[in-house]
Amino acid sequence: MLDLAVNPPEPKVISGARNDWELVVGMEVHAQVASNAKLFSPSSTHFGAEPNSNVSFVDAAMPGMLPVINEYCVEQTVRTGLGLKAKINLWSAFDRKNYFYPDLPQGYQISQLYHPIVGEGEITVDLAPGIARKVRIERIHMEQDAGKSIHDMDPHMSFVDLNRTGVCLMEIVSRPDIRGPEEAAAYIAKLRQILRYLGTCDGNMQNGNLRADVNVSVCLPGSHEKYMETRNFSHLGTRCEIKNMNSMRFIQQAIEYEARRQIAIIENGGEVEQETRLYDPDKGETRSMRSKEEAHDYRYFPDPDLLPLQIEQEWVDRIFKSLPELPDEKKARFMSEFGLSEYDAGVLTAEAENATYFEEAAKGRDGKLVANWVINELFGRLKKEGHDIVDSPVTPRQLGGIVDLISSDEISGKIAKELFEIVYTEGGNPAFIVESRGMKQVTDTTAIEAIVDRIIAENPDQAEKAKANPKLAGWFVGQVMKATGGKANPKAVNGIVSRKIGN
Ligand code: MN
């Protein structure tokens, strides 16, 4: 299993004026559960609806309204926990987090502070072929999202859109195991990939369906090891939390900036203050938002409107059995079953749809050859036109057909590219196209030999030179290919040319 290959990189080191410093990063990711209805109301979660059209009395917090839990949201969260190899807590409970949100009319968020539904798990974060870091998950809890305040539509008024109010979020909390900005981005990418495989969150960061609060601190080299031994957080330095990041690039920039800011404070004899900060991508800096609240500031208490949540082990087992093959397993299988490199297997399993396409095309064929065609030709072409694999004009069957014609030596690699282009733009059965358009490779050695003889006869000087210097034989190969419109079998041409030129 790929897990055995975990081989963590050195942590990122930043040199200050006096010392070298290491980074420590922990993440709290809010992932919107893929469900049709909200966590405690039947309102639609559809993105892009008319403002305030998906708001029930429960979401608007009308007096006397009571929340009713959405079983499917629970199932999705359990599925996520299982996908992250985490412990599922059969008994969990909801708490009120009291806070003034202009876009959450209840005046509190229903969350799970004391008894989250999912406990400890882990993610293997791939950094480069053969290099990965295991990041521990501390917990996952369910909670309500808030709505959206809009301040830039009118100079005198603010607007509020409650469509998002009450949508189910999974808050996925990592341990401080991430050791640099690139790792932080890779962690988000891997988490997003797993969630998309599971179908529990669409991972659309642009729409805010996946966003991260990033905790950053700096410590002297060796301190993280001490923390791992003692589980004493004081070894990790004081952290700051950068709120609500929904871009991988900004996450990396913010971590880098924040680490340097903290290093400067410490090296100048100051102390880092624990606080919540915001990243300003225009200025490329983080700035203070508020001093860090502690749990007691929110006056958490068990929500009296909701009974504790008790689920059955048997139900959890059933969800476990329904899990799809996940990225790590699929990648390892592609490597062993098709003999692919870790890199190629990683590209093909990045999205479940890519993997399905590849497997259909590779069935009963040379997996490496099919992988090359999918990655280099098909993905390249789709990317150029901004297409997704799901709307690829070339079906797996057609691509497999092209590969068959190459494998059986019926067409050359050069012609195969032309054929691919025809299939991509016009469609059709590859074998039929080759037949009807006379694209078959010329393997008839007598025919090739005649052409070689003619070209040698027409270029006696060139032939003399090539006899003295075999490297020049390539020129004749090129001429033969040109004369046959690329259809001559290159292997046969090479053989005949070198025999005729004689070396
Ligand atoms: Mn939260």
Side-chain angles (χ1 to χ4, degrees):
M1 230 34 245
L2 215 68
D3 258 9
L4 298 174
V6 167
N7 174 21
E10 291 295 315
K12 163 111 178 176
V13 174
I14 294 183
S15 299
R18 301 175 192 209
N19 284 302
D20 278 350
W21 297 88
E22 286 183 5
L23 271 72
V24 179
V25 177
M27 298 242 224
E28 294 162 24
V29 171
H30 287 93
Q32 182 180 321
V33 167
S35 66
N36 291 328
K38 295 183 181 180
L39 178 54
F40 297 117
S41 87
S43 305
S44 166
T45 59
H46 178 68
F47 184 86
E50 268 300 287
N52 298 305
S53 59
N54 294 333
V55 185
S56 70
F57 289 138
V58 174
D59 310 318
M62 290 296 156
M65 292 299 113
L66 290 172
V68 177
I69 196 158
N70 179 342
E71 181 180 331
Y72 187 67
C73 291
V74 179
E75 183 181 329
Q76 288 285 61
T77 309
V78 169
R79 182 172 289 121
T80 300
L82 293 169
L84 300 177
K85 303 184 184 117
K87 178 175 182 290
I88 305 300
N89 296 319
L90 298 181
W91 192 94
S92 65
F94 290 95
D95 305 292
R96 284 187 183 179
K97 182 183 188 182
N98 295 282
Y99 194 87
F100 177 75
Y101 300 96
D103 36 27
L104 187 60
Q106 286 166 167
Y108 55 84
Q109 177 192 35
I110 304 177
S111 180
Q112 297 188 306
L113 175 69
Y114 301 108
H115 303 284
I117 186 161
V118 179
E120 294 191 322
E122 65 183 37
I123 295 185
T124 303
V125 179
D126 316 288
L127 297 154
I131 301 194
R133 185 187 298 286
K134 204 172 273 192
V135 173
R136 294 168 298 158
I137 301 294
E138 183 186 320
R139 57 185 281 158
I140 305 175
H141 60 261
M142 285 184 279
E143 62 185 27
Q144 298 172 300
D145 202 352
K148 193 165 90 177
S149 297
I150 303 150
H151 306 293
D152 55 4
M153 275 175 71
D154 187 284
H156 308 293
M157 281 187 285
S158 283
F159 295 91
V160 70
D161 176 5
L162 300 182
N163 280 353
R164 205 169 196 136
T165 304
V167 164
C168 181
L169 300 178
M170 300 179 277
E171 182 171 330
I172 304 162
V173 183
S174 87
R175 298 277 184 195
D177 292 351
I178 301 162
R179 307 304 312 278
E182 297 79 18
E183 286 186 28
Y187 170 81
I188 295 275
K190 186 62 179 283
L191 178 58
R192 180 176 180 277
Q193 182 192 27
I194 295 170
L195 297 175
R196 285 173 59 80
Y197 264 66
L198 292 167
T200 56
C201 169
D202 69 12
N204 188 331
M205 296 183 79
Q206 228 164 356
N207 290 356
N209 295 354
L210 189 75
R211 46 199 202 258
D213 300 340
V214 186
N215 288 288
V216 182
S217 67
V218 295
C219 62
L220 292 171
S223 300
H224 194 271
E225 287 76 4
K226 278 185 211 147
Y227 149 74
M228 289 299 273
E229 271 164 40
T230 60
R231 301 295 147 117
N232 182 343
F233 287 98
S234 68
H235 293 296
L236 299 181
T238 304
R239 69 192 148 96
C240 287
E241 181 180 14
I242 313 163
K243 270 279 175 206
N244 247 332
M245 310 277 299
N246 65 347
S247 141
M248 306 252 200
R249 188 158 58 94
F250 294 159
I251 287 172
Q252 296 188 56
Q253 290 170 356
I255 292 172
E256 183 101 27
Y257 174 89
E258 181 57 23
R260 290 182 193 279
R261 187 188 72 87
Q262 294 180 12
I263 291 167
I265 292 173
I266 301 167
E267 291 198 338
N268 285 317
E271 263 182 44
V272 174
E273 253 180 86
Q274 189 178 335
E275 61 183 357
T276 302
R277 300 179 69 86
L278 275 184
Y279 180 65
D280 179 342
D282 295 328
K283 295 204 173 114
E285 59 185 36
T286 62
R287 57 169 183 267
S288 185
M289 188 181 161
R290 54 175 190 253
S291 66
K292 177 71 186 175
E293 329 71 22
E294 299 291 337
H296 60 250
D297 294 323
Y298 290 109
R299 302 294 190 267
Y300 275 99
F301 65 90
D303 192 305
D305 288 341
L306 287 156
L307 289 168
L309 185 61
Q310 177 87 53
I311 57 176
E312 305 286 331
Q313 184 61 47
E314 198 218 326
W315 186 61
V316 174
D317 293 343
R318 225 179 315 141
I319 298 171
F320 184 76
K321 281 195 199 109
S322 76
L323 291 187
E325 184 181 36
L326 290 169
D328 287 344
E329 287 80 44
K330 207 183 267 298
K331 185 167 134 186
R333 183 169 64 78
F334 277 16
M335 289 165 70
S336 64
E337 200 174 312
F338 299 104
L340 303 184
S341 68
E342 186 181 345
Y343 178 82
D344 283 356
V347 173
L348 291 171
T349 54
E351 297 281 349
E353 291 82 4
N354 292 353
T356 306
Y357 185 103
F358 165 74
E359 275 205 274
E360 274 178 46
K363 210 177 207 168
R365 300 192 171 94
D366 175 353
K368 273 191 191 169
L369 188 57
V370 174
N372 276 338
W373 275 84
V374 172
I375 294 170
N376 299 323
E377 300 303 321
L378 181 66
F379 286 177
R381 192 71 164 79
L382 290 172
K383 199 175 170 188
K384 212 165 91 188
E385 293 183 23
H387 277 152
D388 255 0
I389 189 95
V390 285
D391 38 54
S392 165
V394 179
T395 64
R397 204 194 164 113
Q398 286 170 316
L399 193 81
I402 296 174
V403 169
D404 286 343
L405 293 162
I406 303 169
S407 301
S408 62
D409 261 350
E410 282 172 85
I411 55 172
S412 65
K414 185 171 172 288
I415 293 289
K417 289 192 183 183
E418 281 172 36
L419 175 61
F420 175 81
E421 193 54 34
I422 294 169
V423 175
Y424 192 98
T425 49
E426 301 171 30
N429 177 324
F432 180 74
I433 294 169
V434 165
E435 198 61 57
S436 64
R437 301 197 189 184
M439 295 167 82
K440 267 209 177 151
Q441 181 157 260
V442 181
T443 37
D444 174 355
T445 47
T446 332
I448 296 172
E449 199 167 337
I451 299 169
V452 174
D453 285 339
R454 177 169 58 78
I455 293 172
I456 290 175
E458 284 167 8
N459 300 279
D461 295 353
Q462 197 74 16
E464 279 311 309
K465 276 188 222 160
K467 274 177 194 165
N469 180 4
K471 276 183 195 157
L472 298 176
W475 183 83
F476 285 94
V477 174
Q479 291 302 305
V480 177
M481 294 312 282
K482 207 167 142 190
T484 57
K487 284 184 289 186
N489 180 332
K491 252 183 273 166
V493 176
N494 268 316
I496 294 169
V497 166
S498 63
R499 184 154 51 77
K500 296 271 175 189
I501 303 288
N503 43 27

